Amino acid sequence: SIQVILDVHRDAIQTASGTRYKPTTTINGKKAAQVMIIAGCDGYDIDIPSYKNNLRFANGLQDKMESMYPTLTRPILFDYRFYNQDLAKAAILLELGGHANTLTEAIYSGELVGDALVKLLAG
C-alpha cells in the first residue's frame, strides 16, 4: 500500500583536497540547503522496473518545489544508481544540502520539501 518512498540524505560535496561545499539559497529571507533529487534507472546490473515512474515523480516534485521556492533545487541526478527505488512507483532519494550545510539549513529545506510534496500529492 506504500505509494511514495523518500530516502533522505545530506550530500557529500568535497574536493580531493578536502574542501567542503554547502549548496545554499535564500527562501523567504532564510538560508536553506539546496535540494537534489536522485532517480536511478535500469541498466547494467541494475533492475528498477518502475524507473520511468520514479523519474516522472522526481520531475513533478522538482517542478513543484521550483514553482513554490525558486532556486531551492539543484539539477536532478538521473543515473545508473540503485537506492531501493524498485520498492515503489514513486521512490526517490533526496539530498538536503551537503555535509557542510548547517542542521538549521537542512531542517528548513525539509520543511519546504514537505510543503511542496503536500501540494503535489493533493493536486
Side-chain angles (χ1 to χ4, degrees), residues 46-89:
I46 299 172
D47 184 28
I48 306 173
S50 61
Y51 80 91
K52 291 178 185 177
N53 292 321
N54 291 341
L55 181 59
R56 193 173 301 116
F57 176 69
N59 285 326
L61 181 56
Q62 178 148 352
D63 286 347
K64 184 59 71 178
M65 284 191 286
E66 279 299 311
S67 69
M68 293 173 66
Y69 309 112
T71 72
L72 179 60
T73 66
R74 296 165 51 203
I76 292 173
L77 176 58
F78 180 59
D79 197 1
Y80 298 107
R81 297 181 182 222
F82 184 79
Y83 298 107
N84 296 316
Q85 294 179 349
D86 61 324
L87 300 176
K89 291 184 179 178

mmCIF file of all heavy atoms in Angstrom, residues 46-89:
data_model
loop_
_atom_site.group_PDB
_atom_site.id
_atom_site.type_symbol
_atom_site.label_atom_id
_atom_site.label_comp_id
_atom_site.label_asym_id
_atom_site.label_seq_id
_atom_site.Cartn_x
_atom_site.Cartn_y
_atom_site.Cartn_z
ATOM 1 N N ILE A 46 21.591 -3.166 -12.805
ATOM 2 C CA ILE A 46 20.547 -2.526 -12.016
ATOM 3 C C ILE A 46 19.180 -2.817 -12.630
ATOM 4 O O ILE A 46 18.984 -2.629 -13.826
ATOM 5 C CB ILE A 46 20.782 -1.009 -11.934
ATOM 6 C CG1 ILE A 46 22.133 -0.729 -11.256
ATOM 7 C CG2 ILE A 46 19.666 -0.317 -11.190
ATOM 8 C CD1 ILE A 46 22.561 0.709 -11.301
ATOM 9 N N ASP A 47 18.257 -3.259 -11.800
ATOM 10 C CA ASP A 47 16.911 -3.569 -12.267
ATOM 11 C C ASP A 47 15.911 -2.744 -11.466
ATOM 12 O O ASP A 47 15.623 -3.059 -10.316
ATOM 13 C CB ASP A 47 16.620 -5.062 -12.105
ATOM 14 C CG ASP A 47 15.263 -5.443 -12.672
ATOM 15 O OD1 ASP A 47 14.777 -4.772 -13.603
ATOM 16 O OD2 ASP A 47 14.687 -6.427 -12.170
ATOM 17 N N ILE A 48 15.419 -1.689 -12.066
ATOM 18 C CA ILE A 48 14.404 -0.832 -11.453
ATOM 19 C C ILE A 48 13.243 -0.759 -12.439
ATOM 20 O O ILE A 48 13.178 0.141 -13.275
ATOM 21 C CB ILE A 48 14.955 0.577 -11.144
ATOM 22 C CG1 ILE A 48 16.231 0.496 -10.308
ATOM 23 C CG2 ILE A 48 13.888 1.414 -10.425
ATOM 24 C CD1 ILE A 48 16.927 1.829 -10.101
ATOM 25 N N PRO A 49 12.317 -1.706 -12.360
ATOM 26 C CA PRO A 49 11.236 -1.775 -13.343
ATOM 27 C C PRO A 49 10.410 -0.494 -13.458
ATOM 28 O O PRO A 49 9.908 -0.177 -14.530
ATOM 29 C CB PRO A 49 10.364 -2.927 -12.843
ATOM 30 C CG PRO A 49 11.222 -3.709 -11.924
ATOM 31 C CD PRO A 49 12.231 -2.761 -11.367
ATOM 32 N N SER A 50 10.271 0.241 -12.375
ATOM 33 C CA SER A 50 9.428 1.442 -12.407
ATOM 34 C C SER A 50 10.248 2.736 -12.494
ATOM 35 O O SER A 50 9.790 3.788 -12.077
ATOM 36 C CB SER A 50 8.520 1.474 -11.181
ATOM 37 O OG SER A 50 9.300 1.525 -10.005
ATOM 38 N N TYR A 51 11.462 2.646 -13.053
ATOM 39 C CA TYR A 51 12.310 3.837 -13.068
ATOM 40 C C TYR A 51 11.673 5.013 -13.804
ATOM 41 O O TYR A 51 11.879 6.168 -13.433
ATOM 42 C CB TYR A 51 13.713 3.533 -13.602
ATOM 43 C CG TYR A 51 13.835 3.448 -15.100
ATOM 44 C CD1 TYR A 51 14.158 4.580 -15.852
ATOM 45 C CD2 TYR A 51 13.651 2.249 -15.771
ATOM 46 C CE1 TYR A 51 14.275 4.502 -17.229
ATOM 47 C CE2 TYR A 51 13.771 2.174 -17.138
ATOM 48 C CZ TYR A 51 14.083 3.292 -17.871
ATOM 49 O OH TYR A 51 14.200 3.214 -19.234
ATOM 50 N N LYS A 52 10.878 4.750 -14.824
ATOM 51 C CA LYS A 52 10.225 5.850 -15.546
ATOM 52 C C LYS A 52 9.206 6.551 -14.650
ATOM 53 O O LYS A 52 9.092 7.782 -14.679
ATOM 54 C CB LYS A 52 9.562 5.346 -16.824
ATOM 55 C CG LYS A 52 10.556 4.910 -17.886
ATOM 56 C CD LYS A 52 9.854 4.376 -19.115
ATOM 57 C CE LYS A 52 10.862 3.842 -20.121
ATOM 58 N NZ LYS A 52 10.210 3.250 -21.293
ATOM 59 N N ASN A 53 8.478 5.777 -13.853
ATOM 60 C CA ASN A 53 7.537 6.384 -12.900
ATOM 61 C C ASN A 53 8.283 7.202 -11.847
ATOM 62 O O ASN A 53 7.840 8.278 -11.456
ATOM 63 C CB ASN A 53 6.688 5.310 -12.217
ATOM 64 C CG ASN A 53 5.735 4.642 -13.172
ATOM 65 O OD1 ASN A 53 5.148 5.280 -14.029
ATOM 66 N ND2 ASN A 53 5.603 3.339 -13.045
ATOM 67 N N ASN A 54 9.402 6.663 -11.368
ATOM 68 C CA ASN A 54 10.203 7.396 -10.380
ATOM 69 C C ASN A 54 10.702 8.717 -10.956
ATOM 70 O O ASN A 54 10.665 9.753 -10.286
ATOM 71 C CB ASN A 54 11.399 6.552 -9.922
ATOM 72 C CG ASN A 54 11.006 5.364 -9.086
ATOM 73 O OD1 ASN A 54 9.918 5.294 -8.522
ATOM 74 N ND2 ASN A 54 11.896 4.400 -9.003
ATOM 75 N N LEU A 55 11.172 8.678 -12.197
ATOM 76 C CA LEU A 55 11.664 9.896 -12.835
ATOM 77 C C LEU A 55 10.528 10.896 -13.038
ATOM 78 O O LEU A 55 10.699 12.097 -12.817
ATOM 79 C CB LEU A 55 12.351 9.580 -14.164
ATOM 80 C CG LEU A 55 12.928 10.776 -14.915
ATOM 81 C CD1 LEU A 55 13.970 11.512 -14.078
ATOM 82 C CD2 LEU A 55 13.528 10.321 -16.241
ATOM 83 N N ARG A 56 9.369 10.403 -13.425
ATOM 84 C CA ARG A 56 8.209 11.278 -13.586
ATOM 85 C C ARG A 56 7.846 11.946 -12.254
ATOM 86 O O ARG A 56 7.571 13.145 -12.186
ATOM 87 C CB ARG A 56 7.025 10.464 -14.120
ATOM 88 C CG ARG A 56 5.874 11.293 -14.617
ATOM 89 C CD ARG A 56 4.792 10.436 -15.301
ATOM 90 N NE ARG A 56 5.333 9.693 -16.436
ATOM 91 C CZ ARG A 56 5.405 8.354 -16.519
ATOM 92 N NH1 ARG A 56 4.952 7.586 -15.558
ATOM 93 N NH2 ARG A 56 5.919 7.779 -17.585
ATOM 94 N N PHE A 57 7.876 11.164 -11.174
ATOM 95 C CA PHE A 57 7.610 11.710 -9.841
ATOM 96 C C PHE A 57 8.677 12.733 -9.450
ATOM 97 O O PHE A 57 8.370 13.803 -8.924
ATOM 98 C CB PHE A 57 7.533 10.576 -8.819
ATOM 99 C CG PHE A 57 7.354 11.048 -7.410
ATOM 100 C CD1 PHE A 57 6.163 11.642 -7.001
ATOM 101 C CD2 PHE A 57 8.367 10.902 -6.477
ATOM 102 C CE1 PHE A 57 5.989 12.085 -5.702
ATOM 103 C CE2 PHE A 57 8.208 11.339 -5.179
ATOM 104 C CZ PHE A 57 7.015 11.927 -4.788
ATOM 105 N N ALA A 58 9.945 12.408 -9.709
ATOM 106 C CA ALA A 58 11.046 13.328 -9.402
ATOM 107 C C ALA A 58 10.869 14.653 -10.143
ATOM 108 O O ALA A 58 11.031 15.728 -9.562
ATOM 109 C CB ALA A 58 12.388 12.693 -9.775
ATOM 110 N N ASN A 59 10.518 14.582 -11.427
ATOM 111 C CA ASN A 59 10.294 15.799 -12.215
ATOM 112 C C ASN A 59 9.131 16.608 -11.662
ATOM 113 O O ASN A 59 9.202 17.831 -11.580
ATOM 114 C CB ASN A 59 10.041 15.457 -13.681
ATOM 115 C CG ASN A 59 11.298 15.061 -14.409
ATOM 116 O OD1 ASN A 59 12.378 15.564 -14.138
ATOM 117 N ND2 ASN A 59 11.170 14.130 -15.328
ATOM 118 N N GLY A 60 8.050 15.929 -11.300
ATOM 119 C CA GLY A 60 6.890 16.620 -10.745
ATOM 120 C C GLY A 60 7.212 17.317 -9.442
ATOM 121 O O GLY A 60 6.816 18.468 -9.219
ATOM 122 N N LEU A 61 7.966 16.626 -8.572
ATOM 123 C CA LEU A 61 8.335 17.238 -7.293
ATOM 124 C C LEU A 61 9.282 18.412 -7.511
ATOM 125 O O LEU A 61 9.124 19.471 -6.888
ATOM 126 C CB LEU A 61 8.964 16.200 -6.359
ATOM 127 C CG LEU A 61 9.375 16.708 -4.978
ATOM 128 C CD1 LEU A 61 8.203 17.355 -4.240
ATOM 129 C CD2 LEU A 61 9.989 15.577 -4.160
ATOM 130 N N GLN A 62 10.248 18.252 -8.402
ATOM 131 C CA GLN A 62 11.163 19.360 -8.667
ATOM 132 C C GLN A 62 10.408 20.555 -9.244
ATOM 133 O O GLN A 62 10.651 21.696 -8.832
ATOM 134 C CB GLN A 62 12.282 18.947 -9.611
ATOM 135 C CG GLN A 62 13.210 20.129 -9.923
ATOM 136 C CD GLN A 62 14.625 19.731 -10.152
ATOM 137 O OE1 GLN A 62 15.000 18.592 -9.949
ATOM 138 N NE2 GLN A 62 15.427 20.671 -10.566
ATOM 139 N N ASP A 63 9.508 20.325 -10.175
ATOM 140 C CA ASP A 63 8.712 21.423 -10.743
ATOM 141 C C ASP A 63 7.913 22.134 -9.654
ATOM 142 O O ASP A 63 7.843 23.363 -9.628
ATOM 143 C CB ASP A 63 7.758 20.907 -11.818
ATOM 144 C CG ASP A 63 8.448 20.544 -13.115
ATOM 145 O OD1 ASP A 63 9.635 20.908 -13.289
ATOM 146 O OD2 ASP A 63 7.806 19.886 -13.957
ATOM 147 N N LYS A 64 7.317 21.358 -8.754
ATOM 148 C CA LYS A 64 6.519 21.952 -7.671
ATOM 149 C C LYS A 64 7.413 22.763 -6.734
ATOM 150 O O LYS A 64 7.083 23.893 -6.366
ATOM 151 C CB LYS A 64 5.768 20.860 -6.910
ATOM 152 C CG LYS A 64 4.838 21.386 -5.837
ATOM 153 C CD LYS A 64 3.774 22.325 -6.367
ATOM 154 C CE LYS A 64 2.737 21.629 -7.169
ATOM 155 N NZ LYS A 64 1.674 22.537 -7.649
ATOM 156 N N MET A 65 8.565 22.209 -6.356
ATOM 157 C CA MET A 65 9.477 22.940 -5.465
ATOM 158 C C MET A 65 9.948 24.234 -6.110
ATOM 159 O O MET A 65 9.981 25.280 -5.467
ATOM 160 C CB MET A 65 10.682 22.073 -5.085
ATOM 161 C CG MET A 65 10.367 21.012 -4.063
ATOM 162 S SD MET A 65 11.850 20.205 -3.391
ATOM 163 C CE MET A 65 12.342 19.166 -4.756
ATOM 164 N N GLU A 66 10.312 24.171 -7.398
ATOM 165 C CA GLU A 66 10.824 25.364 -8.071
ATOM 166 C C GLU A 66 9.733 26.407 -8.292
ATOM 167 O O GLU A 66 10.008 27.604 -8.259
ATOM 168 C CB GLU A 66 11.497 24.998 -9.389
ATOM 169 C CG GLU A 66 12.910 24.498 -9.211
ATOM 170 C CD GLU A 66 13.845 25.528 -8.583
ATOM 171 O OE1 GLU A 66 13.887 26.696 -9.035
ATOM 172 O OE2 GLU A 66 14.545 25.156 -7.623
ATOM 173 N N SER A 67 8.494 25.977 -8.515
ATOM 174 C CA SER A 67 7.422 26.959 -8.698
ATOM 175 C C SER A 67 7.080 27.644 -7.373
ATOM 176 O O SER A 67 6.735 28.814 -7.348
ATOM 177 C CB SER A 67 6.179 26.318 -9.311
ATOM 178 O OG SER A 67 5.548 25.439 -8.398
ATOM 179 N N MET A 68 7.200 26.904 -6.268
ATOM 180 C CA MET A 68 6.903 27.475 -4.951
ATOM 181 C C MET A 68 8.103 28.206 -4.358
ATOM 182 O O MET A 68 7.941 29.238 -3.700
ATOM 183 C CB MET A 68 6.460 26.361 -3.991
ATOM 184 C CG MET A 68 5.139 25.715 -4.335
ATOM 185 S SD MET A 68 4.747 24.283 -3.286
ATOM 186 C CE MET A 68 4.535 25.082 -1.688
ATOM 187 N N TYR A 69 9.286 27.647 -4.560
ATOM 188 C CA TYR A 69 10.520 28.168 -3.939
ATOM 189 C C TYR A 69 11.654 28.191 -4.968
ATOM 190 O O TYR A 69 12.526 27.316 -4.956
ATOM 191 C CB TYR A 69 10.916 27.297 -2.742
ATOM 192 C CG TYR A 69 9.800 27.071 -1.754
ATOM 193 C CD1 TYR A 69 9.226 25.816 -1.583
ATOM 194 C CD2 TYR A 69 9.309 28.132 -1.000
ATOM 195 C CE1 TYR A 69 8.203 25.610 -0.682
ATOM 196 C CE2 TYR A 69 8.278 27.936 -0.092
ATOM 197 C CZ TYR A 69 7.729 26.680 0.061
ATOM 198 O OH TYR A 69 6.698 26.481 0.954
ATOM 199 N N PRO A 70 11.642 29.172 -5.872
ATOM 200 C CA PRO A 70 12.691 29.233 -6.897
ATOM 201 C C PRO A 70 14.090 29.189 -6.279
ATOM 202 O O PRO A 70 14.319 29.791 -5.231
ATOM 203 C CB PRO A 70 12.433 30.576 -7.583
ATOM 204 C CG PRO A 70 10.984 30.842 -7.354
ATOM 205 C CD PRO A 70 10.683 30.272 -5.984
ATOM 206 N N THR A 71 14.971 28.475 -6.913
ATOM 207 C CA THR A 71 16.381 28.260 -6.536
ATOM 208 C C THR A 71 16.564 27.226 -5.430
ATOM 209 O O THR A 71 17.695 26.977 -5.013
ATOM 210 C CB THR A 71 17.135 29.559 -6.150
ATOM 211 O OG1 THR A 71 16.682 30.037 -4.881
ATOM 212 C CG2 THR A 71 16.992 30.629 -7.220
ATOM 213 N N LEU A 72 15.502 26.575 -4.960
ATOM 214 C CA LEU A 72 15.658 25.571 -3.900
ATOM 215 C C LEU A 72 16.366 24.321 -4.414
ATOM 216 O O LEU A 72 17.108 23.685 -3.672
ATOM 217 C CB LEU A 72 14.290 25.187 -3.304
ATOM 218 C CG LEU A 72 14.314 24.120 -2.207
ATOM 219 C CD1 LEU A 72 15.167 24.581 -1.015
ATOM 220 C CD2 LEU A 72 12.904 23.772 -1.762
ATOM 221 N N THR A 73 16.162 23.968 -5.689
ATOM 222 C CA THR A 73 16.687 22.687 -6.161
ATOM 223 C C THR A 73 17.941 22.810 -7.016
ATOM 224 O O THR A 73 18.179 23.825 -7.658
ATOM 225 C CB THR A 73 15.627 21.915 -6.971
ATOM 226 O OG1 THR A 73 15.333 22.628 -8.168
ATOM 227 C CG2 THR A 73 14.355 21.704 -6.163
ATOM 228 N N ARG A 74 18.712 21.735 -6.980
ATOM 229 C CA ARG A 74 19.814 21.519 -7.907
ATOM 230 C C ARG A 74 19.277 20.598 -9.001
ATOM 231 O O ARG A 74 18.207 20.021 -8.853
ATOM 232 C CB ARG A 74 20.978 20.849 -7.168
ATOM 233 C CG ARG A 74 21.569 21.728 -6.078
ATOM 234 C CD ARG A 74 22.459 20.977 -5.094
ATOM 235 N NE ARG A 74 23.481 20.180 -5.736
ATOM 236 C CZ ARG A 74 24.061 19.126 -5.145
ATOM 237 N NH1 ARG A 74 23.718 18.744 -3.937
ATOM 238 N NH2 ARG A 74 24.982 18.441 -5.784
ATOM 239 N N PRO A 75 19.996 20.415 -10.100
ATOM 240 C CA PRO A 75 19.508 19.523 -11.159
ATOM 241 C C PRO A 75 19.304 18.091 -10.653
ATOM 242 O O PRO A 75 20.038 17.617 -9.775
ATOM 243 C CB PRO A 75 20.627 19.568 -12.202
ATOM 244 C CG PRO A 75 21.299 20.880 -11.980
ATOM 245 C CD PRO A 75 21.235 21.103 -10.492
ATOM 246 N N ILE A 76 18.304 17.424 -11.203
ATOM 247 C CA ILE A 76 18.052 16.016 -10.871
ATOM 248 C C ILE A 76 19.230 15.180 -11.371
ATOM 249 O O ILE A 76 19.719 15.375 -12.487
ATOM 250 C CB ILE A 76 16.750 15.519 -11.525
ATOM 251 C CG1 ILE A 76 15.541 16.205 -10.884
ATOM 252 C CG2 ILE A 76 16.617 14.001 -11.425
ATOM 253 C CD1 ILE A 76 14.218 15.901 -11.577
ATOM 254 N N LEU A 77 19.671 14.234 -10.546
ATOM 255 C CA LEU A 77 20.687 13.277 -10.964
ATOM 256 C C LEU A 77 19.956 12.007 -11.390
ATOM 257 O O LEU A 77 19.364 11.313 -10.568
ATOM 258 C CB LEU A 77 21.669 12.974 -9.831
ATOM 259 C CG LEU A 77 22.716 11.901 -10.133
ATOM 260 C CD1 LEU A 77 23.567 12.273 -11.349
ATOM 261 C CD2 LEU A 77 23.598 11.659 -8.927
ATOM 262 N N PHE A 78 19.953 11.738 -12.696
ATOM 263 C CA PHE A 78 19.328 10.547 -13.265
ATOM 264 C C PHE A 78 20.457 9.680 -13.770
ATOM 265 O O PHE A 78 21.142 10.025 -14.737
ATOM 266 C CB PHE A 78 18.367 10.951 -14.385
ATOM 267 C CG PHE A 78 17.661 9.816 -15.044
ATOM 268 C CD1 PHE A 78 16.854 8.965 -14.306
ATOM 269 C CD2 PHE A 78 17.777 9.603 -16.399
ATOM 270 C CE1 PHE A 78 16.183 7.910 -14.915
ATOM 271 C CE2 PHE A 78 17.113 8.555 -17.029
ATOM 272 C CZ PHE A 78 16.312 7.712 -16.274
ATOM 273 N N ASP A 79 20.697 8.547 -13.095
ATOM 274 C CA ASP A 79 21.911 7.798 -13.362
ATOM 275 C C ASP A 79 21.695 6.326 -13.025
ATOM 276 O O ASP A 79 20.692 5.956 -12.421
ATOM 277 C CB ASP A 79 23.040 8.372 -12.499
ATOM 278 C CG ASP A 79 24.424 7.975 -12.972
ATOM 279 O OD1 ASP A 79 24.547 7.262 -13.984
ATOM 280 O OD2 ASP A 79 25.397 8.379 -12.312
ATOM 281 N N TYR A 80 22.659 5.503 -13.401
ATOM 282 C CA TYR A 80 22.629 4.084 -13.068
ATOM 283 C C TYR A 80 22.998 3.920 -11.601
ATOM 284 O O TYR A 80 24.138 3.620 -11.258
ATOM 285 C CB TYR A 80 23.605 3.311 -13.961
ATOM 286 C CG TYR A 80 23.253 3.389 -15.418
ATOM 287 C CD1 TYR A 80 24.011 4.160 -16.285
ATOM 288 C CD2 TYR A 80 22.153 2.703 -15.909
ATOM 289 C CE1 TYR A 80 23.677 4.240 -17.626
ATOM 290 C CE2 TYR A 80 21.803 2.773 -17.255
ATOM 291 C CZ TYR A 80 22.574 3.546 -18.096
ATOM 292 O OH TYR A 80 22.247 3.624 -19.412
ATOM 293 N N ARG A 81 22.022 4.156 -10.751
ATOM 294 C CA ARG A 81 22.206 4.033 -9.309
ATOM 295 C C ARG A 81 21.002 3.314 -8.734
ATOM 296 O O ARG A 81 19.917 3.377 -9.281
ATOM 297 C CB ARG A 81 22.363 5.400 -8.662
ATOM 298 C CG ARG A 81 23.611 6.108 -9.169
ATOM 299 C CD ARG A 81 23.797 7.427 -8.523
ATOM 300 N NE ARG A 81 24.977 8.063 -9.101
ATOM 301 C CZ ARG A 81 25.866 8.709 -8.386
ATOM 302 N NH1 ARG A 81 25.718 8.821 -7.100
ATOM 303 N NH2 ARG A 81 26.899 9.268 -8.971
ATOM 304 N N PHE A 82 21.214 2.686 -7.606
ATOM 305 C CA PHE A 82 20.153 1.881 -7.011
ATOM 306 C C PHE A 82 20.019 2.234 -5.532
ATOM 307 O O PHE A 82 20.925 1.981 -4.756
ATOM 308 C CB PHE A 82 20.484 0.395 -7.169
ATOM 309 C CG PHE A 82 19.413 -0.510 -6.674
ATOM 310 C CD1 PHE A 82 18.290 -0.766 -7.444
ATOM 311 C CD2 PHE A 82 19.511 -1.109 -5.433
ATOM 312 C CE1 PHE A 82 17.290 -1.600 -6.991
ATOM 313 C CE2 PHE A 82 18.520 -1.952 -4.974
ATOM 314 C CZ PHE A 82 17.408 -2.199 -5.749
ATOM 315 N N TYR A 83 18.939 2.848 -5.172
ATOM 316 C CA TYR A 83 18.687 3.236 -3.776
ATOM 317 C C TYR A 83 17.289 2.761 -3.369
ATOM 318 O O TYR A 83 16.429 3.558 -3.026
ATOM 319 C CB TYR A 83 18.779 4.757 -3.612
ATOM 320 C CG TYR A 83 20.133 5.326 -3.938
ATOM 321 C CD1 TYR A 83 20.341 6.046 -5.111
ATOM 322 C CD2 TYR A 83 21.212 5.157 -3.087
ATOM 323 C CE1 TYR A 83 21.585 6.587 -5.416
ATOM 324 C CE2 TYR A 83 22.459 5.677 -3.388
ATOM 325 C CZ TYR A 83 22.635 6.389 -4.549
ATOM 326 O OH TYR A 83 23.861 6.917 -4.853
ATOM 327 N N ASN A 84 17.050 1.462 -3.447
ATOM 328 C CA ASN A 84 15.743 0.891 -3.101
ATOM 329 C C ASN A 84 14.623 1.487 -3.938
ATOM 330 O O ASN A 84 13.474 1.522 -3.508
ATOM 331 C CB ASN A 84 15.449 1.054 -1.605
ATOM 332 C CG ASN A 84 16.435 0.290 -0.759
ATOM 333 O OD1 ASN A 84 16.764 -0.859 -1.069
ATOM 334 N ND2 ASN A 84 16.922 0.905 0.291
ATOM 335 N N GLN A 85 14.937 1.947 -5.116
ATOM 336 C CA GLN A 85 13.935 2.590 -5.950
ATOM 337 C C GLN A 85 13.101 1.585 -6.728
ATOM 338 O O GLN A 85 12.268 1.960 -7.536
ATOM 339 C CB GLN A 85 14.599 3.626 -6.859
ATOM 340 C CG GLN A 85 15.174 4.759 -6.047
ATOM 341 C CD GLN A 85 15.856 5.813 -6.887
ATOM 342 O OE1 GLN A 85 16.097 5.649 -8.066
ATOM 343 N NE2 GLN A 85 16.177 6.928 -6.255
ATOM 344 N N ASP A 86 13.297 0.311 -6.429
ATOM 345 C CA ASP A 86 12.465 -0.724 -7.023
ATOM 346 C C ASP A 86 11.258 -1.046 -6.141
ATOM 347 O O ASP A 86 10.421 -1.850 -6.500
ATOM 348 C CB ASP A 86 13.292 -1.994 -7.237
ATOM 349 C CG ASP A 86 13.836 -2.545 -5.930
ATOM 350 O OD1 ASP A 86 14.201 -1.750 -5.040
ATOM 351 O OD2 ASP A 86 13.897 -3.776 -5.782
ATOM 352 N N LEU A 87 11.157 -0.379 -4.983
ATOM 353 C CA LEU A 87 10.134 -0.725 -3.997
ATOM 354 C C LEU A 87 8.794 -0.032 -4.203
ATOM 355 O O LEU A 87 7.802 -0.424 -3.593
ATOM 356 C CB LEU A 87 10.647 -0.417 -2.584
ATOM 357 C CG LEU A 87 11.920 -1.178 -2.182
ATOM 358 C CD1 LEU A 87 12.389 -0.730 -0.805
ATOM 359 C CD2 LEU A 87 11.693 -2.680 -2.228
ATOM 360 N N ALA A 88 8.753 1.010 -5.007
ATOM 361 C CA ALA A 88 7.502 1.747 -5.234
ATOM 362 C C ALA A 88 7.594 2.461 -6.573
ATOM 363 O O ALA A 88 8.673 2.577 -7.156
ATOM 364 C CB ALA A 88 7.244 2.747 -4.111
ATOM 365 N N LYS A 89 6.467 2.975 -7.030
ATOM 366 C CA LYS A 89 6.429 3.696 -8.303
ATOM 367 C C LYS A 89 6.703 5.177 -8.126
ATOM 368 O O LYS A 89 6.642 5.939 -9.082
ATOM 369 C CB LYS A 89 5.085 3.481 -8.991
ATOM 370 C CG LYS A 89 4.927 2.057 -9.467
ATOM 371 C CD LYS A 89 3.659 1.860 -10.226
ATOM 372 C CE LYS A 89 3.577 0.422 -10.706
ATOM 373 N NZ LYS A 89 2.346 0.152 -11.408
#
